[in-house]
Amino acid sequence: MLDESLLDTPEALSEADRRGLLRGAAEAGARVRTAARHAAEAGVNDLKPDGRPRAVLIAGPGAAATHAADLLGTLAGPGSPVSRLAPTGVAPAAGALRWELPGWAGSVDLLLIATPDGTEPGLSILADAAYRRGCTVVAVAPARTPLSEAVEGAHGFFVPMATAPYDQDEPLAASAPGVLWALLTPLLVLLDRTGLLSAPADAIEKVADRLDQVAERCGPAIATYSNPAKTLAAELADALPIVWTEGTSAGPAGRRFAAALAELSGTPAVVAELPEALAAHSALLAGPLAASADPDDFFRDRVEEPPALHARVVLLRDRPIGGLTAAPAARDLALSHDTPISELEPDEGGELETLAELIAITDFAAVYLALASGA
């Protein structure tokens, strides 16, 4: 059950935030600036690549590497050579995970390692294997970890991860807001140097500014009625989020939102891109999860009986209302099944800025839902 009164009590939110999730979301802009400075100090801006790599392989544990690969691949555009190396192992523990290079990987390929831990033996082994294959190795991880030593031994390039003191208080959640931007920013700067995507210094600064603006709008001191993240969290209480995305950049934002809901608050969610989402989820909205599916809910004892789980559509868009869009059809389908719908659309700006805004608002919403539901 969601404690909505907690959403408008900043002190209670702070007390419940044992994992530093709210601080990570609020400080996302500062984390981007620090990460960009770390990349510059490491010498990324001085690199003179011989050309674009044939393939960019990304390795790392959990959602952090998954989201980074998804975002970088989207920004690189159609035909992107960016792909993630999925780990194998008997458990999601640092010592149990192993990564394997594809058989074709060689001297024209780039291996990116992104981890908020840095103690994974499997990543150190991977860095050594890449060196022996002739791959260029770049890693973003906490400084003074076994991985930093392994990358140095492999004649690779290491960028210290931008961390905060409270990161050490509790184990970092892979979907935590601060983790994403700390790992993603140096990789954006690096791939801009290779020409694989466009992320110049002024664009990175605009991303930091946009994240600061979202933090001002969605911070714990802002009341729910004027706070889009708190409003979304309250709307998703006792709901199954059906996340629909429209526009290239909205896709990875929606997938990250679904992952963050599951990891941070224990809320299951399904996600798909429009217009195909309409066919994929039509039967779901017409089934027992529809708001009109339980006519006896009106007579439910609000104190003794838990509410039934009903679907709620969350529409994330990165394009204006005008032009070719499936949004009207999405609204019609949802409302025809008495399914409520929440919509988020970023302010105008570059692709990186609008993507950052969608991620930031949904990150705040996932955090508020986690804190107010006691997760």
Side-chain angles (χ1 to χ4, degrees):
M1 295 291 291
L2 185 80
D3 182 0
E4 292 195 36
S5 64
L6 186 143
L7 288 177
D8 285 325
T9 312
E11 297 79 7
L13 283 171
S14 178
E15 184 176 342
D17 188 21
R18 295 181 300 274
R19 293 178 286 177
L21 298 174
L22 263 181
R23 286 178 291 182
E27 296 172 5
R31 195 77 69 114
V32 167
R33 296 185 184 92
T34 302
R37 188 179 71 251
H38 285 188
E41 291 172 351
V44 173
N45 296 328
D46 299 326
L47 295 177
K48 296 180 173 58
D50 294 330
R52 289 169 48 136
R54 177 183 63 178
V56 178
L57 305 171
I58 300 181
T66 301
H67 298 155
D70 193 8
L71 290 162
L72 293 173
T74 298
L75 293 168
S80 164
V82 177
S83 59
R84 179 183 179 241
L85 298 179
T88 58
V90 297
L97 297 175
R98 292 293 182 269
W99 289 261
E100 295 289 339
L101 288 171
W104 47 260
S107 59
V108 292
D109 303 313
L110 173 62
L111 172 64
L112 304 178
I113 299 176
T115 173
D117 188 339
T119 66
E120 303 93 342
L123 289 177
S124 298
I125 294 171
L126 179 68
D128 182 64
Y131 171 63
R132 287 185 276 109
R133 293 270 201 97
C135 295
T136 301
V137 180
V138 179
V140 182
R144 295 179 295 279
T145 56
L147 179 61
S148 65
E149 298 174 3
V151 171
E152 182 179 353
H155 300 281
F157 197 92
F158 182 80
V159 180
M161 176 183 168
T163 58
Y166 57 81
D167 285 344
Q168 312 306 320
D169 295 344
E170 295 282 341
L172 287 172
S175 294
V179 172
L180 173 69
W181 295 109
L183 295 177
L184 181 65
T185 303
L187 301 182
L188 287 171
V189 177
L190 173 73
L191 295 186
D192 176 73
R193 294 295 298 171
T194 68
L196 195 64
L197 52 80
S198 178
D202 61 331
I204 297 294
E205 185 59 33
K206 288 179 180 178
V207 166
D209 291 341
R210 184 68 66 97
L211 292 172
D212 287 344
Q213 293 166 12
V214 172
E216 292 176 1
R217 293 167 54 202
C218 299
I222 306 302
T224 299
Y225 67 85
S226 59
N227 186 321
K230 287 183 179 180
T231 299
L232 181 57
E235 290 171 345
L236 293 181
D238 305 314
L240 173 69
I242 310 295
V243 183
W244 289 346
T245 68
E246 185 172 55
T248 304
S249 297
R255 289 186 286 274
R256 172 174 169 78
F257 185 37
L261 286 171
E263 181 178 359
L264 302 182
S265 68
T267 302
V270 294
V271 59
E273 298 185 19
L274 292 176
E276 293 180 321
L278 302 182
H281 293 160
S282 178
L284 189 156
L285 293 182
L289 291 171
S292 58
D294 185 8
D296 295 329
D297 185 67
F298 179 81
F299 302 100
R300 173 175 57 85
D301 187 317
R302 289 327 196 237
V303 176
E304 298 295 334
E305 298 179 44
L309 187 68
H310 292 307
R312 184 180 189 97
V313 170
V314 180
L315 178 57
L316 304 182
R317 306 180 66 226
D318 69 351
R319 60 179 61 175
I321 295 296
L324 189 63
T325 172
R331 298 185 190 102
D332 290 344
L333 177 63
L335 296 178
S336 70
H337 295 295
D338 295 323
T339 300
I341 184 169
S342 304
E343 297 191 40
L344 286 179
E345 183 174 328
D347 294 334
E348 293 184 1
E351 185 176 22
L352 269 174
E353 292 175 78
T354 56
L355 178 57
E357 181 175 338
L358 283 176
I359 290 174
I361 294 176
T362 52
D363 274 354
F364 266 108
V367 169
Y368 284 128
L369 189 59
L371 297 181
S373 60

